[in-house]
Amino acid sequence: MSELEHYIKSYFGIANQNDLKTIVSLFKSTTIKKGDYFLKSGKICEKLSFIQSGLLRIYIKTEDKEVTQWISTKGYFVTDLSSLVFNTPARFTIQALIDCELYTIDRENYLLLKSLIPQWPELEKLFIARCFVMLEERIFSHLSMTAEERYDLLFEQNKELFNQVPLQYIASMLGMSPETFSRIRKKKSI
Amino acid sequence: MSELEHYIKSYFGIANQNDLKTIVSLFKSTTIKKGDYFLKSGKICEKLSFIQSGLLRIYIKTEDKEVTQWISTKGYFVTDLSSLVFNTPARFTIQALIDCELYTIDRENYLLLKSLIPQWPELEKLFIARCFVMLEERIFSHLSMTAEERYDLLFEQNKELFNQVPLQYIASMLGMSPETFSRIRKKKSI
DNA sequence: AGCTCCACTTGACAAAAGTCAAGAAATTAA
DNA sequence: TTAATTTCTTGACTTTTGTCAAGTGGAGCT
């Protein structure tokens, strides 16, 4: 369980060892098989998970295509924040791309944190603020970069992803067609 | 001051009238003239403002161009969240497009809120989460829509903006060139 | 009025990215 | 292993979007 501890420490910046133990104890080890759904759009998201191992794809189905919003990887958290926090139907579907080991906290225990750890809301705020900033940066990339530049940026940040998941999903997540992705990829290999 | 009250109530979902008074009392009425800077990138952002009237453009200067990240309008808040919350140099420059009336809280009083209003961190969390969800939607629009579809979406959501600010800024904020924006615009008028 | 400064528009062209269809390669299942 | 399925690549072509450059039009100033 120490990996979760380590990440919660670095994500939430918790110094107090007791609080850390309390938080970690509320996460239960769970698994999810390749192809299974962590969440289906329209349902209420009742959990937040830390990814010990595996990959999950977060996407939205529109009439004519699937749009991959993000692929969550080892060492990160996964949930539909909007659904979890506001208790509204999820907009995203989340599916395991390979078998995953997760540490999962359900809504009940998640709400418990507020009373068990006095500074939890503050920590949570900082966590969400950090996520917000990441999205700001992602928007900036769409306002100012070409498809190829976005490819380069992601590749630099997360090379491993490029040989772990179907490339079409990465293409979608970068806002380009699989063909464009493939052509950029070819260009790099020459 | 009742407009600020109203918006804080709806943004933060505050029921308690005393808390509301306390919060509102920490915001001071300020103004900023057309062309003046609310924030310059590189500086630490020391304030959060509610826009009573006016328009502010949030942008980033790159080597070869200015990228407008967003234009904040009446009834919304403006700040560099990352800089305010994490005390880091601002990535954004924020400039008044016209004279603005603001209600502004400085960092000192902003931090005071935590101690004055017990549930403040929780409210703040919800506020930031709502902002996060808006950005998620914006990213989705870049992953799944053409320039024209993004134009239509924004126009639907905020028609007024289109005759209040230089169109080139809206173009940039939508991730397209001024020329493309102009051509889409022409198409609509025919 | 005439001048200046912007912002916007327009046309011609170039580059980027999407679409469609066929086929190759890789992965999964039998 | 072979067969079936999925994913990826490639070429030909279209559409979308960007770039450059010239020109229009308006707001404000002298």
Side-chain angles (χ1 to χ4, degrees):
Chain A
M1 180 85 80
S2 91
E3 199 146 355
L4 174 58
E5 269 187 44
H6 172 264
Y7 275 108
I8 285 187
K9 205 167 171 175
S10 76
Y11 259 79
F12 295 83
I14 291 188
N16 182 321
Q17 195 64 24
N18 283 334
D19 287 350
L20 188 53
K21 290 282 182 211
T22 305
I23 295 170
V24 168
S25 73
L26 294 176
F27 282 82
K28 307 299 173 208
S29 175
T30 58
T31 63
I32 173 172
K33 289 263 167 243
K34 173 174 178 169
D36 285 354
Y37 292 94
F38 178 87
L39 173 67
K40 286 197 172 190
S41 78
K43 307 276 180 195
I44 309 283
C45 182
E46 302 282 357
K47 56 193 175 178
L48 166 70
S49 293
F50 171 80
I51 305 173
Q52 171 71 24
S53 73
L55 293 160
L56 295 121
R57 179 169 74 108
I58 299 159
Y59 66 94
I60 290 180
K61 239 194 188 99
T62 67
E63 314 93 72
D64 53 339
K65 59 187 165 187
E66 282 181 1
V67 179
T68 298
Q69 183 87 0
W70 193 247
I71 295 167
S72 260
T73 56
K74 177 178 155 58
Y76 289 86
F77 287 91
V78 64
T79 190
D80 183 316
L81 191 75
S82 162
S83 179
L84 180 69
V85 169
F86 300 112
N87 234 304
T88 50
R91 295 164 308 136
F92 298 112
T93 294
I94 305 180
Q95 188 180 23
L97 290 176
I98 55 174
D99 294 356
C100 300
E101 300 173 293
L102 308 175
Y103 288 109
T104 301
I105 186 169
D106 57 27
R107 183 194 298 280
E108 196 180 339
N109 283 306
Y110 175 72
L111 294 174
L112 250 185
L113 282 170
K114 227 176 295 188
S115 45
L116 294 177
I117 317 280
Q119 77 273 33
W120 175 255
E122 173 71 9
L123 298 171
E124 204 188 355
K125 178 200 95 176
L126 294 174
F127 175 68
I128 297 176
R130 219 167 291 159
C131 295
F132 175 88
V133 172
M134 287 170 59
L135 292 199
E136 277 187 337
E137 275 160 18
R138 221 173 141 205
I139 286 174
F140 179 75
S141 80
H142 281 279
L143 300 186
S144 64
M145 294 178 181
T146 62
E148 184 169 356
E149 288 167 335
R150 293 198 301 277
Y151 176 104
D152 290 342
L153 183 61
L154 181 65
F155 187 75
E156 197 181 292
Q157 290 170 348
N158 194 352
K159 270 194 231 322
E160 316 80 53
L161 195 62
F162 287 64
N163 41 43
Q164 290 179 327
V165 307
L167 299 176
Q168 55 179 313
Y169 298 150
I170 302 182
S172 172
M173 169 179 144
L174 286 172
M176 67 184 80
S177 69
E179 292 92 340
T180 295
F181 187 93
S182 176
R183 288 183 183 112
I184 291 172
R185 196 159 170 262
K186 184 183 185 187
K187 207 167 137 190
K188 305 289 169 194
S189 73
I190 295 171
Chain B
M1 182 80 84
S2 90
E3 198 146 357
L4 173 58
E5 271 188 43
H6 171 265
Y7 276 108
I8 286 188
K9 207 166 169 176
S10 76
Y11 259 79
F12 294 84
I14 290 187
N16 183 320
Q17 196 62 25
N18 282 334
D19 287 351
L20 188 54
K21 289 281 181 213
T22 306
I23 295 170
V24 168
S25 72
L26 294 176
F27 282 82
K28 307 298 173 210
S29 176
T30 59
T31 61
I32 173 171
K33 289 263 167 244
K34 173 174 180 172
D36 284 355
Y37 292 95
F38 178 86
L39 173 66
K40 287 197 172 190
S41 78
K43 307 276 179 194
I44 310 283
C45 182
E46 302 282 356
K47 55 194 176 178
L48 167 70
S49 292
F50 172 80
I51 305 173
Q52 171 72 25
S53 72
L55 294 160
L56 295 120
R57 179 169 73 109
I58 299 159
Y59 66 95
I60 290 180
K61 238 193 188 99
T62 66
E63 313 92 74
D64 52 340
K65 58 186 164 186
E66 281 182 0
V67 178
T68 298
Q69 183 87 0
W70 192 248
I71 294 167
S72 260
T73 56
K74 176 178 155 57
Y76 289 86
F77 287 92
V78 65
T79 190
D80 183 317
L81 191 74
S82 163
S83 179
L84 180 69
V85 168
F86 300 113
N87 233 305
T88 50
R91 295 163 308 138
F92 297 112
T93 294
I94 304 179
Q95 187 180 22
L97 290 176
I98 55 173
D99 293 356
C100 299
E101 300 174 294
L102 308 174
Y103 289 108
T104 300
I105 187 170
D106 57 26
R107 184 194 297 281
E108 196 180 339
N109 283 306
Y110 175 71
L111 294 174
L112 250 185
L113 281 170
K114 227 177 296 191
S115 45
L116 294 178
I117 316 279
Q119 77 274 33
W120 175 255
E122 173 70 10
L123 298 171
E124 204 188 354
K125 179 201 95 176
L126 294 174
F127 175 69
I128 297 175
R130 220 168 291 160
C131 296
F132 176 89
V133 172
M134 286 169 60
L135 291 199
E136 276 187 338
E137 274 160 20
R138 221 172 141 205
I139 286 175
F140 178 75
S141 80
H142 282 279
L143 300 186
S144 64
M145 295 179 182
T146 62
E148 184 169 356
E149 288 167 335
R150 293 198 302 278
Y151 176 105
D152 290 340
L153 182 61
L154 181 65
F155 187 74
E156 198 181 290
Q157 291 170 349
N158 195 351
K159 271 195 231 319
E160 316 78 54
L161 195 62
F162 287 64
N163 42 44
Q164 289 180 328
V165 308
L167 299 176
Q168 55 180 315
Y169 298 150
I170 302 183
S172 172
M173 168 178 146
L174 287 171
M176 67 184 79
S177 68
E179 292 92 340
T180 295
F181 187 93
S182 176
R183 288 182 184 114
I184 291 172
R185 196 159 169 261
K186 185 183 185 186
K187 206 168 138 190
K188 304 289 170 194
S189 73
I190 294 172

